[in-house]
Amino acid sequence: MQNKLDYKNIRKIGLVTKPNSNFDAEILEIKQSLEQRGIELLLLKQSSKALKLKSYDLDELFKQSDFLISLGGDGTLISLCRKAYEYDKALLGINAGRLGFLTDFKVEGAKQFFDEFFCGKFRIEKPFMLDLMLETQEDKIIYKNAFNDVVFYRKHSQSMAHIEVYRNDKMFNQYFGDGLIISSPAGSTAYNLSANGPIVYTLAEVFILTPVCSHSLTQRPIVLPRGFELEVRASECIFCIDGQENFNMNDFKSVKVALSDKSVALIHPKNRDYFQILKEKLGWGN
């Protein structure tokens, strides 16, 4: 993964919006800011039906672009993170959503950002992802990554989830309730936060286990360091990666989760203050 972005030689930037959204005015504003610098804006095919800009499918957009802009909320940006790692491309999140812990500014702030960006005044943060190793009932190994979290939850609303977690073939813990969230630090302000899990600094090398509506008052979230690989066992449960990919636990002999060595390069303004963002988004001190 790149540590630096060659901002002086940027020629093409891709842009992705939330599906079925209408951000044509915002796209044109970004396009104008970039054209003034001789930079071409490329679109994901589904990003606009009206604008006559070059558009590509997602894989080709990553190949053609020096980096990509996500225009939307955190969900839009998260949906690009695993693909960004695959192509070793950085991402810039511009907020057109509601909350935005990962997206720093709205479209009206884009011109000022690009003025600073093309003078080298920006920063790249590289939060770590989660690695998943899935062994199917047919002994096939599937590797997946999650940027935010992996959520294990009950398959039937009338039943209770029973989830066992092992480390080195020894039971680490077992959870009875609605489910279990395994979260990266970047994902700590997502579903983990709503389930009363801890907020963890985005660049910390740890991950979090948070029970969902536990039937035991003694079950509490726990933060674990890099190097812990956990195996999750459960029947009649579903697990979901980043809120986007769903799998049936019964289809797998083994589901293992650990903090990855892999990270995603996220472009931010030079003066970005993570803790100020927390204060603003969560209303601390009000």
Side-chain angles (χ1 to χ4, degrees):
M1 177 64 70
Q2 55 195 342
N3 291 311
K4 294 182 179 179
L5 187 61
D6 187 5
Y7 64 92
K8 293 181 179 179
N9 289 305
I10 299 294
R11 296 292 177 263
K12 296 179 180 180
I13 297 176
L15 186 144
V16 176
T17 67
K18 183 179 179 180
N20 302 316
S21 57
N22 183 5
F23 292 135
D24 287 0
E26 290 84 351
I27 293 171
L28 287 174
E29 190 170 340
I30 294 169
K31 176 177 177 286
Q32 184 177 12
S33 292
L34 296 176
E35 278 184 341
Q36 293 171 358
R37 298 170 173 85
I39 295 167
E40 185 177 7
L41 183 67
L42 312 177
L43 293 186
L44 181 68
K45 282 185 177 178
Q46 299 89 339
S47 291
S48 175
K49 296 179 180 178
L51 297 179
K52 303 302 181 183
L53 298 177
K54 288 184 181 178
S55 60
Y56 303 89
D57 62 30
L58 188 58
D59 285 282
E60 190 61 28
L61 187 67
F62 269 97
K63 293 175 184 177
Q64 293 285 339
S65 305
D66 294 305
F67 72 84
L68 270 79
I69 295 171
S70 167
L71 178 61
D74 282 353
T76 308
L77 181 61
I78 290 164
S79 69
L80 295 175
C81 284
R82 282 174 282 164
K83 188 69 72 173
Y85 175 81
E86 180 182 337
Y87 284 100
D88 194 26
K89 298 290 175 72
L91 296 175
L92 169 66
I94 298 181
N95 189 6
R98 288 180 295 175
L99 193 55
F101 281 94
L102 300 172
T103 52
D104 296 303
F105 56 89
K106 293 186 177 292
V107 171
E108 48 266 32
K111 183 180 183 303
Q112 179 182 346
F113 171 80
F114 287 126
D115 286 343
E116 296 176 353
F117 175 85
F118 288 105
C119 291
K121 298 178 181 178
F122 64 94
R123 61 191 297 180
I124 289 183
E125 293 186 351
K126 300 172 69 175
F128 290 100
M129 303 171 71
L130 297 174
D131 275 341
L132 286 88
M133 187 174 75
L134 315 177
E135 183 181 357
T136 70
Q137 299 292 353
E138 295 76 31
D139 298 321
K140 180 183 177 181
I141 301 296
I142 301 172
Y143 295 97
K144 292 283 185 178
N145 298 107
F147 179 80
N148 252 6
D149 52 38
V150 186
V151 180
F152 300 83
Y153 57 94
R154 54 188 179 171
K155 189 174 182 179
H156 306 290
S157 59
Q158 68 271 23
S159 62
M160 178 173 60
H162 176 202
I163 300 168
E164 297 178 343
V165 178
Y166 290 80
R167 179 173 182 253
N168 297 330
D169 290 324
K170 294 181 180 179
M171 183 176 285
F172 178 83
N173 205 344
Q174 57 181 328
Y175 300 89
F176 296 90
D178 285 0
L180 175 69
I181 304 164
I182 301 182
S183 169
S184 70
S188 70
T189 51
Y191 189 17
N192 170 76
L193 182 61
S194 68
N196 293 317
I199 296 173
V200 174
Y201 180 56
T202 309
L203 303 180
E205 297 191 34
V206 298
F207 64 108
I208 310 152
L209 274 68
T210 300
V212 181
C213 297
S214 174
H215 283 225
S216 170
L217 295 177
T218 63
Q219 293 290 3
R220 289 291 182 266
I222 185 168
V223 178
L224 298 174
R226 175 183 299 288
F228 274 59
E229 182 183 66
L230 302 179
E231 181 179 358
V232 182
R233 302 176 189 173
S235 59
E236 301 304 316
C237 280
I238 302 293
F239 67 97
C240 183
I241 299 174
D242 282 340
Q244 296 162 3
E245 290 186 272
N246 288 287
F247 300 89
N248 192 329
M249 286 291 290
N250 291 340
D251 293 337
F252 299 95
K253 289 182 180 179
S254 174
V255 176
K256 294 181 179 179
V257 185
L259 187 69
S260 180
D261 292 326
K262 301 175 182 179
S263 58
V264 178
L266 300 180
I267 304 169
H268 295 293
K270 185 74 172 180
N271 62 353
R272 182 180 195 261
D273 185 334
Y274 172 76
F275 297 101
Q276 183 62 34
I277 292 170
L278 286 181
K279 287 171 64 178
E280 292 173 0
K281 302 299 183 184
L282 301 180
W284 290 354
N286 293 344

